[in-house]
Amino acid sequence: MSDKQIIYMDHAATTATRPEVVASMLPYFSMQYGNPSSQYIIAQKNRSAIEECRRKIVNSLNAKTGNIYFTAGGTEADNWALKGIACLYERGHIITSKIEHHAIIHTCDYLKKHGYDITYLDADENGIIRPEKVKSAIRKDTILISIMYANNEIGTIQPIKEIGEIARRYNILFHTDAVQAYGQIPIDVDECNIAMLSASGHKLRGPKGIGFLYIRKGVNIESFIHGGAQEEGLRAGTENVPAIIGLSKAVDVSFNTMQERIKQEVKLRDYMIERIINEIPYVRLNGHRIRRLPNNVNVSFQFVQGESLLVMLDMDGICASAGSACTSGLASPSHVLLAIGLPYDIAYGTIRFTLGYENTLSQIDYVVDRIKMHVAKLREKSPQYEDFIKGNT
Ligand SMILES: *Cc1c(COP(=O)(O)O)cnc(C)c1O
Protein backbone atom coordinates (compact mmCIF):
# COMPACT_ATOMS: atom_id res chain seq x y z
CA MET A 1 0.00 0.00 0.00
CA SER A 2 2.92 2.34 0.76
CA ASP A 3 4.12 2.72 -2.84
CA LYS A 4 0.60 2.87 -4.25
CA GLN A 5 -0.74 6.19 -5.42
CA ILE A 6 -3.32 7.56 -3.02
CA ILE A 7 -6.55 8.87 -4.49
CA TYR A 8 -7.83 11.31 -1.92
CA MET A 9 -11.56 12.00 -2.13
CA ASP A 10 -12.25 13.12 1.42
CA HIS A 11 -11.79 16.87 1.15
CA ALA A 12 -14.71 17.58 3.49
CA ALA A 13 -12.76 15.86 6.28
CA THR A 14 -9.64 17.89 5.67
CA THR A 15 -7.50 19.14 2.81
CA ALA A 16 -3.78 19.06 2.07
CA THR A 17 -2.26 22.44 2.90
CA ARG A 18 -1.27 24.27 -0.27
CA PRO A 19 2.53 24.50 -0.78
CA GLU A 20 2.33 28.29 -1.08
CA VAL A 21 0.44 28.36 2.23
CA VAL A 22 3.18 26.37 3.94
CA ALA A 23 5.79 28.69 2.38
CA SER A 24 3.98 31.78 3.63
CA MET A 25 4.00 30.42 7.19
CA LEU A 26 7.65 29.40 7.47
CA PRO A 27 9.22 32.83 8.20
CA TYR A 28 6.81 33.26 11.10
CA PHE A 29 8.28 30.23 12.86
CA SER A 30 11.88 31.38 12.51
CA MET A 31 12.64 35.02 11.65
CA GLN A 32 9.39 36.74 12.45
CA TYR A 33 8.70 35.13 15.80
CA GLY A 34 7.79 38.27 17.74
CA ASN A 35 4.77 38.30 20.04
CA PRO A 36 2.29 40.71 18.43
CA SER A 37 1.62 42.23 21.86
CA SER A 38 5.26 43.28 22.33
CA GLN A 39 6.40 46.84 21.70
CA TYR A 40 9.48 46.49 19.48
CA ILE A 41 9.36 46.73 15.72
CA ILE A 42 9.69 43.02 14.81
CA ALA A 43 6.69 42.26 17.00
CA GLN A 44 4.63 45.20 15.78
CA LYS A 45 5.18 43.99 12.23
CA ASN A 46 3.42 40.77 13.17
CA ARG A 47 0.60 42.74 14.69
CA SER A 48 0.02 44.66 11.48
CA ALA A 49 0.34 41.44 9.44
CA ILE A 50 -2.49 39.93 11.48
CA GLU A 51 -4.64 43.05 11.09
CA GLU A 52 -4.10 42.80 7.33
CA CYS A 53 -5.33 39.19 7.45
CA ARG A 54 -8.49 40.27 9.28
CA ARG A 55 -9.24 42.92 6.66
CA LYS A 56 -8.71 40.48 3.84
CA ILE A 57 -11.11 37.95 5.37
CA VAL A 58 -13.76 40.59 6.14
CA ASN A 59 -13.59 41.58 2.46
CA SER A 60 -13.91 37.97 1.32
CA LEU A 61 -17.25 37.81 3.16
CA ASN A 62 -18.49 41.01 1.50
CA ALA A 63 -18.98 42.48 4.98
CA LYS A 64 -19.19 46.24 5.32
CA THR A 65 -18.78 46.17 9.08
CA GLY A 66 -17.62 43.74 11.72
CA ASN A 67 -14.45 41.91 12.51
CA ILE A 68 -12.68 38.57 12.36
CA TYR A 69 -11.73 36.86 15.61
CA PHE A 70 -9.25 34.04 15.22
CA THR A 71 -10.01 30.77 17.00
CA ALA A 72 -8.45 27.32 17.12
CA GLY A 73 -10.79 26.10 14.39
CA GLY A 74 -14.39 25.70 13.36
CA THR A 75 -15.45 23.81 16.48
CA GLU A 76 -14.27 26.61 18.75
CA ALA A 77 -15.95 29.28 16.63
CA ASP A 78 -19.25 27.34 16.79
CA ASN A 79 -18.96 26.86 20.56
CA TRP A 80 -18.23 30.53 21.07
CA ALA A 81 -21.09 31.80 18.90
CA LEU A 82 -23.67 29.74 20.78
CA LYS A 83 -22.34 29.93 24.34
CA GLY A 84 -21.20 33.53 23.95
CA ILE A 85 -24.73 34.66 23.10
CA ALA A 86 -26.55 32.27 25.46
CA CYS A 87 -24.67 33.42 28.52
CA LEU A 88 -25.80 37.03 27.98
CA TYR A 89 -29.23 35.75 29.02
CA GLU A 90 -30.28 33.59 31.95
CA ARG A 91 -32.74 31.64 29.87
CA GLY A 92 -33.68 31.67 26.24
CA HIS A 93 -34.62 29.77 23.12
CA ILE A 94 -32.27 28.80 20.29
CA ILE A 95 -33.32 27.52 16.87
CA THR A 96 -31.00 25.14 15.06
CA SER A 97 -31.38 22.01 12.91
CA LYS A 98 -31.02 18.26 13.19
CA ILE A 99 -28.41 18.15 10.44
CA GLU A 100 -25.84 20.50 11.98
CA HIS A 101 -22.27 19.40 12.63
CA HIS A 102 -21.68 17.97 16.12
CA ALA A 103 -19.87 21.20 17.02
CA ILE A 104 -23.31 22.83 16.96
CA ILE A 105 -25.54 19.92 18.03
CA HIS A 106 -23.47 18.95 21.05
CA THR A 107 -23.07 22.58 22.11
CA CYS A 108 -26.85 22.97 21.93
CA ASP A 109 -27.28 19.75 23.95
CA TYR A 110 -24.97 21.27 26.56
CA LEU A 111 -26.95 24.53 26.67
CA LYS A 112 -30.16 22.55 26.95
CA LYS A 113 -28.77 20.79 30.00
CA HIS A 114 -28.12 24.22 31.45
CA GLY A 115 -31.69 25.43 31.10
CA TYR A 116 -31.95 26.83 27.56
CA ASP A 117 -34.68 25.69 25.21
CA ILE A 118 -33.51 24.33 21.88
CA THR A 119 -35.56 23.64 18.76
CA TYR A 120 -33.82 21.19 16.42
CA LEU A 121 -35.55 21.68 13.08
CA ASP A 122 -36.16 18.83 10.65
CA ALA A 123 -34.70 18.91 7.16
CA ASP A 124 -36.66 17.71 4.14
CA GLU A 125 -35.67 14.61 2.17
CA ASN A 126 -33.09 16.61 0.20
CA GLY A 127 -31.54 18.04 3.35
CA ILE A 128 -33.07 21.50 3.02
CA ILE A 129 -34.15 23.38 6.15
CA ARG A 130 -37.30 25.18 5.05
CA PRO A 131 -37.39 28.89 5.93
CA GLU A 132 -41.10 28.60 6.90
CA LYS A 133 -40.08 26.08 9.56
CA VAL A 134 -37.57 28.54 10.98
CA LYS A 135 -40.24 31.21 11.00
CA SER A 136 -42.83 29.12 12.79
CA ALA A 137 -40.29 28.05 15.44
CA ILE A 138 -39.65 31.66 16.50
CA ARG A 139 -40.87 32.54 19.99
CA LYS A 140 -40.85 35.67 22.14
CA ASP A 141 -37.74 34.39 23.95
CA THR A 142 -35.78 33.28 20.87
CA ILE A 143 -32.24 34.67 21.22
CA LEU A 144 -30.45 33.01 18.32
CA ILE A 145 -30.92 31.14 15.06
CA SER A 146 -28.01 28.92 14.03
CA ILE A 147 -28.31 27.15 10.67
CA MET A 148 -25.35 25.79 8.74
CA TYR A 149 -24.48 27.27 5.33
CA ALA A 150 -23.86 23.90 3.66
CA ASN A 151 -23.98 20.42 5.05
CA ASN A 152 -20.70 18.55 5.51
CA GLU A 153 -22.14 15.10 4.76
CA ILE A 154 -24.67 15.46 1.97
CA GLY A 155 -23.48 18.81 0.59
CA THR A 156 -26.87 20.53 0.58
CA ILE A 157 -26.62 24.34 0.47
CA GLN A 158 -29.25 25.93 2.69
CA PRO A 159 -31.57 28.83 1.76
CA ILE A 160 -29.42 31.10 3.92
CA LYS A 161 -30.63 34.36 2.39
CA GLU A 162 -34.28 33.53 3.09
CA ILE A 163 -33.51 32.39 6.63
CA GLY A 164 -31.47 35.57 7.20
CA GLU A 165 -34.41 37.61 5.95
CA ILE A 166 -36.68 36.00 8.55
CA ALA A 167 -34.10 36.68 11.26
CA ARG A 168 -34.01 40.32 10.13
CA ARG A 169 -37.80 40.66 10.19
CA TYR A 170 -38.02 39.28 13.73
CA ASN A 171 -34.84 41.01 14.86
CA ILE A 172 -33.10 37.81 15.98
CA LEU A 173 -29.36 37.16 15.72
CA PHE A 174 -28.42 34.78 12.93
CA HIS A 175 -25.31 32.59 13.11
CA THR A 176 -24.16 30.22 10.38
CA ASP A 177 -21.59 27.42 10.48
CA ALA A 178 -19.99 28.05 7.09
CA VAL A 179 -17.06 25.69 7.58
CA GLN A 180 -17.93 23.69 4.45
CA ALA A 181 -19.00 26.66 2.35
CA TYR A 182 -16.35 29.29 3.04
CA GLY A 183 -13.70 29.37 0.32
CA GLN A 184 -15.76 26.92 -1.78
CA ILE A 185 -18.68 29.09 -2.87
CA PRO A 186 -19.28 32.87 -2.72
CA ILE A 187 -20.73 34.20 0.56
CA ASP A 188 -22.23 37.64 1.17
CA VAL A 189 -22.86 38.06 4.90
CA ASP A 190 -24.62 41.43 4.60
CA GLU A 191 -26.99 40.27 1.90
CA CYS A 192 -27.85 37.20 3.99
CA ASN A 193 -28.13 39.17 7.25
CA ILE A 194 -25.51 36.95 8.89
CA ALA A 195 -24.49 38.34 12.29
CA MET A 196 -21.91 35.64 13.02
CA LEU A 197 -20.14 33.13 10.79
CA SER A 198 -17.77 30.25 11.63
CA ALA A 199 -15.04 29.00 9.30
CA SER A 200 -12.00 26.73 9.53
CA GLY A 201 -8.56 26.84 7.87
CA HIS A 202 -7.98 23.16 7.17
CA LYS A 203 -11.15 22.79 5.10
CA LEU A 204 -9.88 25.30 2.54
CA ARG A 205 -6.24 24.27 2.11
CA GLY A 206 -5.04 26.17 5.15
CA PRO A 207 -3.43 24.78 8.30
CA LYS A 208 -5.29 22.80 10.95
CA GLY A 209 -6.11 24.30 14.33
CA ILE A 210 -6.99 27.77 13.04
CA GLY A 211 -10.37 29.22 12.17
CA PHE A 212 -12.37 32.32 12.84
CA LEU A 213 -15.65 33.73 14.00
CA TYR A 214 -16.87 36.72 12.01
CA ILE A 215 -18.95 39.04 14.19
CA ARG A 216 -20.94 41.93 12.71
CA LYS A 217 -20.42 45.34 14.28
CA GLY A 218 -22.87 46.01 17.09
CA VAL A 219 -23.35 42.36 18.04
CA ASN A 220 -22.78 41.92 21.75
CA ILE A 221 -21.12 38.64 22.70
CA GLU A 222 -19.49 37.32 25.86
CA SER A 223 -15.77 36.70 25.85
CA PHE A 224 -14.88 33.03 25.22
CA ILE A 225 -11.33 32.72 26.56
CA HIS A 226 -10.41 34.98 29.45
CA GLY A 227 -6.89 36.35 29.76
CA GLY A 228 -4.99 39.04 27.92
CA ALA A 229 -6.24 41.70 25.55
CA GLN A 230 -5.84 39.69 22.33
CA GLU A 231 -8.80 39.65 19.92
CA GLU A 232 -10.21 42.68 21.75
CA GLY A 233 -10.18 40.66 24.97
CA LEU A 234 -12.86 38.34 23.60
CA ARG A 235 -10.56 35.42 22.85
CA ALA A 236 -7.40 35.79 24.88
CA GLY A 237 -4.09 34.02 24.32
CA THR A 238 -1.05 34.82 22.21
CA GLU A 239 -2.04 34.78 18.56
CA ASN A 240 -1.09 31.74 16.49
CA VAL A 241 0.75 33.98 14.04
CA PRO A 242 2.01 31.35 11.53
CA ALA A 243 -1.44 29.73 11.33
CA ILE A 244 -3.19 33.08 10.87
CA ILE A 245 -0.77 34.00 8.06
CA GLY A 246 -1.34 30.57 6.48
CA LEU A 247 -5.10 30.83 6.74
CA SER A 248 -5.01 34.24 5.13
CA LYS A 249 -2.87 32.93 2.27
CA ALA A 250 -5.29 30.03 1.80
CA VAL A 251 -8.16 32.51 1.65
CA ASP A 252 -6.30 34.51 -1.00
CA VAL A 253 -5.74 31.54 -3.25
CA SER A 254 -9.20 30.05 -2.63
CA PHE A 255 -10.99 33.21 -3.67
CA ASN A 256 -8.70 33.87 -6.63
CA THR A 257 -9.31 30.39 -8.04
CA MET A 258 -12.92 29.92 -6.90
CA GLN A 259 -14.85 30.27 -10.17
CA GLU A 260 -12.46 28.02 -12.05
CA ARG A 261 -12.49 25.40 -9.29
CA ILE A 262 -16.27 25.38 -9.04
CA LYS A 263 -16.53 24.71 -12.76
CA GLN A 264 -14.00 21.89 -12.65
CA GLU A 265 -15.43 20.29 -9.49
CA VAL A 266 -19.02 20.43 -10.72
CA LYS A 267 -17.95 18.70 -13.93
CA LEU A 268 -16.17 15.90 -12.02
CA ARG A 269 -18.96 15.63 -9.45
CA ASP A 270 -21.73 15.30 -12.01
CA TYR A 271 -19.74 12.82 -14.07
CA MET A 272 -19.19 10.67 -10.98
CA ILE A 273 -22.84 10.87 -9.92
CA GLU A 274 -24.07 9.99 -13.41
CA ARG A 275 -21.78 7.00 -13.72
CA ILE A 276 -22.71 5.62 -10.30
CA ILE A 277 -26.45 6.11 -10.76
CA ASN A 278 -26.45 4.70 -14.30
CA GLU A 279 -24.14 1.75 -13.80
CA ILE A 280 -24.93 0.45 -10.31
CA PRO A 281 -28.43 -0.74 -9.41
CA TYR A 282 -30.15 0.04 -6.08
CA VAL A 283 -28.27 3.26 -5.45
CA ARG A 284 -29.55 6.53 -4.04
CA LEU A 285 -27.96 9.98 -4.26
CA ASN A 286 -28.28 11.83 -0.96
CA GLY A 287 -28.62 15.60 -0.75
CA HIS A 288 -30.13 18.08 -3.16
CA ARG A 289 -29.23 17.45 -6.79
CA ILE A 290 -28.71 21.16 -7.65
CA ARG A 291 -28.33 23.09 -4.38
CA ARG A 292 -25.20 21.17 -3.60
CA LEU A 293 -21.55 21.86 -2.82
CA PRO A 294 -19.51 21.59 -6.03
CA ASN A 295 -17.35 18.77 -4.68
CA ASN A 296 -19.86 16.54 -2.85
CA VAL A 297 -20.96 13.06 -3.94
CA ASN A 298 -22.93 11.16 -1.27
CA VAL A 299 -24.49 7.85 -2.24
CA SER A 300 -26.18 4.94 -0.49
CA PHE A 301 -25.73 1.42 -1.84
CA GLN A 302 -28.54 -0.86 -0.81
CA PHE A 303 -27.51 -4.29 0.60
CA VAL A 304 -23.99 -3.04 1.32
CA GLN A 305 -22.22 -2.06 4.55
CA GLY A 306 -20.59 1.31 3.91
CA GLU A 307 -17.78 0.46 6.32
CA SER A 308 -16.93 -2.73 4.39
CA LEU A 309 -16.90 -0.87 1.09
CA LEU A 310 -14.68 1.78 2.67
CA VAL A 311 -12.13 -0.83 3.76
CA MET A 312 -12.04 -2.34 0.26
CA LEU A 313 -11.56 1.10 -1.30
CA ASP A 314 -8.82 1.83 1.22
CA MET A 315 -6.97 -1.28 -0.03
CA ASP A 316 -7.14 0.30 -3.50
CA GLY A 317 -5.59 3.50 -2.11
CA ILE A 318 -8.90 5.37 -2.26
CA CYS A 319 -9.79 7.64 0.69
CA ALA A 320 -13.47 8.38 1.24
CA SER A 321 -15.77 8.53 4.22
CA ALA A 322 -18.79 6.65 5.54
CA GLY A 323 -21.28 9.33 6.49
CA SER A 324 -18.94 11.69 8.32
CA ALA A 325 -15.53 11.34 9.92
CA CYS A 326 -16.99 12.09 13.33
CA THR A 327 -19.54 9.29 13.21
CA SER A 328 -17.48 6.56 11.57
CA GLY A 329 -16.56 3.83 14.01
CA LEU A 330 -19.73 4.36 15.98
CA ALA A 331 -22.49 1.80 15.88
CA SER A 332 -25.31 4.10 14.81
CA PRO A 333 -25.52 5.67 11.36
CA SER A 334 -25.06 9.39 10.76
CA HIS A 335 -27.62 11.70 12.41
CA VAL A 336 -27.82 13.64 9.14
CA LEU A 337 -28.86 10.63 7.07
CA LEU A 338 -31.48 9.65 9.65
CA ALA A 339 -32.77 13.25 9.75
CA ILE A 340 -33.41 13.26 6.00
CA GLY A 341 -35.45 10.11 6.45
CA LEU A 342 -33.15 7.31 5.33
CA PRO A 343 -34.03 3.97 6.90
CA TYR A 344 -31.21 2.45 8.98
CA ASP A 345 -30.23 -0.22 6.45
CA ILE A 346 -29.84 2.32 3.63
CA ALA A 347 -28.03 4.81 5.87
CA TYR A 348 -25.52 2.08 6.76
CA GLY A 349 -24.66 1.68 3.07
CA THR A 350 -23.63 5.30 2.59
CA ILE A 351 -20.33 6.65 1.31
CA ARG A 352 -19.26 10.26 0.88
CA PHE A 353 -16.72 11.31 -1.74
CA THR A 354 -15.57 14.92 -1.63
CA LEU A 355 -13.41 16.06 -4.51
CA GLY A 356 -10.53 18.49 -4.79
CA TYR A 357 -8.40 20.05 -7.50
CA GLU A 358 -5.98 17.09 -7.54
CA ASN A 359 -8.72 14.70 -8.66
CA THR A 360 -8.99 13.89 -12.37
CA LEU A 361 -11.55 12.31 -14.66
CA SER A 362 -9.43 9.17 -14.97
CA GLN A 363 -9.24 8.86 -11.17
CA ILE A 364 -13.01 9.05 -11.05
CA ASP A 365 -13.27 6.34 -13.69
CA TYR A 366 -10.96 4.13 -11.66
CA VAL A 367 -12.85 4.79 -8.41
CA VAL A 368 -16.26 4.08 -9.99
CA ASP A 369 -14.91 0.86 -11.56
CA ARG A 370 -13.67 -0.30 -8.17
CA ILE A 371 -16.95 0.64 -6.45
CA LYS A 372 -18.89 -1.35 -9.05
CA MET A 373 -16.76 -4.41 -8.49
CA HIS A 374 -16.76 -4.20 -4.67
CA VAL A 375 -20.49 -3.51 -4.44
CA ALA A 376 -21.22 -6.56 -6.59
CA LYS A 377 -18.94 -8.70 -4.38
CA LEU A 378 -20.47 -7.45 -1.15
CA ARG A 379 -23.98 -8.03 -2.46
CA GLU A 380 -23.11 -11.62 -3.42
CA LYS A 381 -22.43 -12.23 0.27
CA SER A 382 -25.53 -10.41 1.52
CA PRO A 383 -28.46 -12.60 2.67
CA GLN A 384 -30.78 -9.59 2.35
CA TYR A 385 -29.76 -9.18 -1.28
CA GLU A 386 -30.32 -12.87 -1.93
CA ASP A 387 -33.82 -12.67 -0.43
CA PHE A 388 -34.54 -9.55 -2.41
CA ILE A 389 -33.48 -11.10 -5.71
CA LYS A 390 -35.45 -14.29 -4.99
CA GLY A 391 -38.51 -12.23 -4.15
CA ASN A 392 -38.17 -10.38 -7.43
CA THR A 393 -37.99 -13.44 -9.67
C1 LIG B 1 -15.09 20.37 9.98
C2 LIG B 1 -16.30 21.07 10.41
C3 LIG B 1 -16.37 21.71 11.66
C4 LIG B 1 -15.24 21.66 12.65
O1 LIG B 1 -14.12 22.42 12.25
P1 LIG B 1 -12.70 22.13 12.91
O2 LIG B 1 -11.84 23.24 12.41
O3 LIG B 1 -12.27 20.79 12.42
O4 LIG B 1 -12.88 22.18 14.38
C5 LIG B 1 -17.53 22.37 11.99
N1 LIG B 1 -18.58 22.43 11.15
C6 LIG B 1 -18.56 21.82 9.94
C7 LIG B 1 -19.75 21.94 9.04
C8 LIG B 1 -17.43 21.12 9.53
O5 LIG B 1 -17.42 20.52 8.35
Side-chain angles (χ1 to χ4, degrees):
M1 164 102 196
S2 55
D3 51 355
K4 188 179 271 169
Q5 192 210 349
I6 295 291
I7 299 182
Y8 187 76
M9 293 192 176
D10 201 15
H11 290 85
T14 196
T15 57
T17 313
R18 283 182 188 271
E20 59 267 52
V21 169
V22 175
S24 76
M25 294 169 69
L26 290 178
Y28 291 88
F29 290 105
S30 48
M31 315 285 283
Q32 287 154 257
Y33 50 80
N35 184 326
S37 299
S38 301
Q39 295 307 312
Y40 30 83
I41 292 167
I42 64 156
Q44 286 303 306
K45 267 192 179 162
N46 284 356
R47 192 186 186 82
S48 42
I50 291 177
E51 294 313 315
E52 179 57 32
C53 295
R54 284 191 225 281
R55 274 195 296 279
K56 195 182 294 170
I57 297 173
V58 166
N59 283 337
S60 74
L61 292 167
N62 283 309
K64 276 187 222 59
T65 73
N67 209 352
I68 297 302
Y69 299 86
F70 293 109
T71 64
T75 301
E76 185 188 316
D78 283 345
N79 268 262
W80 182 16
L82 300 181
K83 294 175 187 168
I85 294 301
C87 69
L88 296 174
Y89 306 85
E90 279 195 6
R91 289 271 178 277
H93 173 237
I94 296 171
I95 299 170
T96 186
S97 84
K98 287 185 185 162
I99 63 165
E100 300 295 313
H101 189 273
H102 280 146
I104 294 288
I105 301 239
H106 290 161
T107 304
C108 284
D109 294 346
Y110 166 85
L111 289 171
K112 192 178 163 108
K113 227 171 53 190
H114 287 269
Y116 296 86
D117 272 341
I118 316 285
T119 298
Y120 301 90
L121 293 173
D122 279 314
D124 71 11
E125 69 279 8
N126 292 316
I128 301 257
I129 297 142
R130 297 243 173 90
E132 315 88 77
K133 290 214 168 167
V134 176
K135 187 175 153 197
S136 45
I138 291 174
R139 314 192 320 204
K140 268 210 189 77
D141 61 342
T142 304
I143 55 176
L144 182 66
I145 297 169
S146 180
I147 300 290
M148 71 200 317
Y149 207 106
N151 185 267
N152 47 303
E153 292 189 37
I154 56 174
T156 301
I157 300 169
Q158 299 303 331
I160 289 298
K161 195 174 160 204
E162 289 80 358
I163 295 170
E165 201 45 55
I166 290 165
R168 193 198 314 269
R169 207 174 324 143
Y170 289 83
N171 200 20
I172 297 168
L173 280 181
F174 177 36
H175 165 257
T176 188
D177 172 345
V179 173
Q180 288 294 334
Y182 180 68
Q184 316 298 336
I185 53 175
I187 294 180
D188 187 322
V189 290
D190 288 345
E191 186 187 35
C192 297
N193 184 37
I194 293 165
M196 295 182 289
L197 176 144
S198 308
S200 173
H202 74 104
K203 303 284 175 79
L204 64 128
R205 308 282 176 172
K208 293 174 178 60
I210 186 78
F212 65 81
L213 183 64
Y214 159 79
I215 306 179
R216 188 170 63 205
K217 195 173 172 194
V219 171
N220 189 21
I221 189 165
E222 189 61 73
S223 145
F224 194 57
I225 307 269
H226 301 91
Q230 296 93 351
E231 309 296 310
E232 298 172 12
L234 294 175
R235 200 281 185 185
T238 301
E239 297 87 344
N240 188 346
V241 184
I244 292 171
I245 299 290
L247 167 60
S248 165
K249 183 71 182 174
V251 167
D252 251 357
V253 186
S254 287
F255 280 81
N256 285 337
T257 57
M258 187 181 283
Q259 290 311 325
E260 216 178 298
R261 263 186 308 120
I262 290 177
K263 241 190 265 165
Q264 173 68 3
E265 284 176 357
V266 165
K267 194 175 98 189
L268 292 179
R269 176 195 74 185
D270 291 348
Y271 177 72
M272 187 169 189
I273 291 174
E274 290 309 313
R275 268 207 68 189
I276 291 175
I277 300 269
N278 291 333
E279 297 178 31
I280 305 176
Y282 316 118
V283 182
R284 184 201 134 101
L285 174 73
N286 299 309
H288 198 282
R289 183 67 191 81
I290 313 291
R291 294 188 59 94
R292 178 180 204 97
L293 286 173
N295 73 344
N296 178 289
V297 177
N298 184 305
V299 275
S300 299
F301 302 95
Q302 221 180 325
F303 315 111
V304 165
Q305 285 286 331
E307 296 284 347
S308 312
L309 180 52
L310 214 57
V311 169
M312 293 167 102
L313 290 174
D314 189 20
M315 307 273 246
D316 296 332
I318 299 162
C319 305
S321 150
S324 88
C326 318
T327 51
S328 61
L330 293 184
S332 99
S334 132
H335 65 286
V336 174
L337 299 174
L338 297 180
I340 63 169
L342 289 202
Y344 268 63
D345 60 321
I346 308 262
Y348 274 123
T350 303
I351 302 252
R352 177 190 71 185
F353 301 91
T354 40
L355 311 174
Y357 59 73
E358 301 93 339
N359 296 132
T360 60
L361 217 53
S362 68
Q363 283 185 341
I364 292 192
D365 275 330
Y366 172 71
V367 171
V368 176
D369 289 346
R370 301 304 287 182
I371 297 172
K372 261 171 90 169
M373 200 182 84
H374 296 321
V375 164
K377 252 192 216 149
L378 288 167
R379 282 177 178 165
E380 257 170 45
K381 286 187 268 178
S382 156
Q384 290 86 352
Y385 185 65
E386 203 183 320
D387 289 348
F388 174 80
I389 293 298
K390 270 192 203 137
N392 266 9
T393 52

